[in-house]
Amino acid sequence: MKGKYSQFAGENITPLAETGLSLQPRMYTLKKSLGQHFLTDENMCRKIVESLPVIEGQQVLEVGPGGGAITKYLLQLPGIHFKAVELDKEKVQYLEKTYPAIQGKLINESILETALPFEGQFRLIGNFPYNISTQIMFRLLEWRAHVDVAVGMFQKEVAVRIASAHKSKEYGILSVLLQAFYKVEYLFEVHENCFNPPPKVKSAVIRLTRLEQPADIASERKFTVLVKTAFNQRRKQLRNPLKPLFDKETLQDPIFTKRAEELTVAEFAALSHKMI
């Protein structure tokens, strides 16, 4: 692989005609059942793509390309191995017709059910369907050995939750489970008018970079049970919801007088080793 390169150079972007991309008008329907709100602001599309660091030879998967808002810029990145997973058959047909360069690179399946798209490491990017964005993050956790960087647009509330630190009301299950394995960066917010149709919720983009040294957990099963159980009764002292998971002697530790949101990821990881 060669070194990093600049993805775009201001307005000096390769004309779509030279990349096999088309400027045909969009002809597709929006499906509320699939949580479809398509990004139409070109500057924002470029900004999202520029948030994903890539090198020549990189494998990149886009989740939910929809009408191709960021897809057309991903297709212009030189030297990457690109695929996109899209559940909506109509959008797949539209993308293949509008962007000839995407032929053979589309997977017409749900991201929640599809098999690993590449062998080896790859990076993930997408304007994630808001109705399954949390499930996509659990999919990321399943694939964490293969995905070292992910950039996604979420409903702002979800993005804040993922990026929040302990001692905040937004800090929760998703925060701890993801931050045990990834560094989370809250990058920027996206105005509703950047979409068609404009969503009724705020949006934000985050980047997750896999930690070189993830949290030291006893096991994924124990850690997940611990975190979910603790936050299911987040207003109570940990001694109450976690009573079935620890012996009486361990429960005397002062840490169990705290509430779930007061514990750091490292403290949750350490507790997982003391579970019965």
Side-chain angles (χ1 to χ4, degrees), residues 218-237:
S219 71
E220 188 169 351
R221 182 192 66 80
K222 282 189 172 183
F223 185 65
T224 302
V225 169
L226 171 64
V227 174
K228 288 185 175 181
T229 304
F231 280 101
N232 280 342
Q233 298 182 52
R234 63 182 299 148
R235 294 184 180 180
K236 294 186 177 181
Q237 291 185 355

Side-chain angles (χ1 to χ4, degrees), residues 120-122 140-148 182 210:
Q121 300 291 299
F122 64 95
L140 172 63
L141 286 173
E142 292 176 21
W143 286 354
R144 67 179 182 272
H146 302 274
V147 181
D148 61 344
Y182 287 91
R210 192 175 59 206

Side-chain angles (χ1 to χ4, degrees), residues 244-261:
L245 304 181
F246 297 88
D247 60 37
K248 290 183 179 180
E249 183 178 350
T250 304
L251 286 169
Q252 299 312 306
D253 191 303
I255 197 171
F256 290 95
T257 63
K258 296 183 178 182
R259 294 178 303 204
E261 66 188 42

Side-chain angles (χ1 to χ4, degrees), residues 95-217:
L95 290 166
E96 290 178 337
K97 182 178 180 180
T98 308
Y99 307 112
I102 207 169
Q103 292 289 339
K105 299 176 181 179
L106 281 165
I107 303 169
N108 186 200
E109 295 176 1
S110 167
I111 182 60
L112 305 181
E113 298 175 358
T114 193
L116 274 169
F118 297 103
E119 292 184 6
Q121 300 291 299
F122 64 95
R123 296 186 171 178
L124 194 69
I125 188 169
N127 171 13
F128 300 144
Y130 291 177
N131 58 348
I132 61 165
S133 61
T134 297
Q135 292 167 273
I136 292 173
M137 287 298 94
F138 283 107
R139 190 63 160 162
L140 172 63
L141 286 173
E142 292 176 21
W143 286 354
R144 67 179 182 272
H146 302 274
V147 181
D148 61 344
V149 181
V151 170
M153 180 156 57
F154 297 79
Q155 180 177 335
K156 180 182 175 180
E157 177 184 334
V158 176
V160 169
R161 194 185 312 153
I162 292 171
S164 290
H166 71 294
K167 295 185 179 180
S168 68
K169 64 179 181 179
E170 293 85 7
Y171 183 70
I173 294 172
L174 206 55
S175 320
V176 177
L177 294 182
L178 284 167
Q179 291 176 32
F181 303 101
Y182 287 91
K183 172 188 174 184
V184 181
E185 299 170 88
Y186 189 91
L187 299 182
F188 51 86
E189 295 176 6
V190 185
H191 196 277
E192 301 94 298
N193 291 342
C194 292
F195 298 88
N196 177 36
K200 296 180 180 180
V201 295
K202 302 290 184 181
S203 302
V205 174
I206 63 173
R207 179 168 56 222
L208 301 98
T209 305
R210 192 175 59 206
L211 297 171
E212 291 186 9
Q213 293 187 325
D216 178 17
I217 61 175

Side-chain angles (χ1 to χ4, degrees), residues 52-68:
L52 183 73
V54 294
I55 55 177
E56 193 170 343
Q58 193 83 57
Q59 297 185 134
V60 176
L61 178 71
E62 182 185 4
V63 177

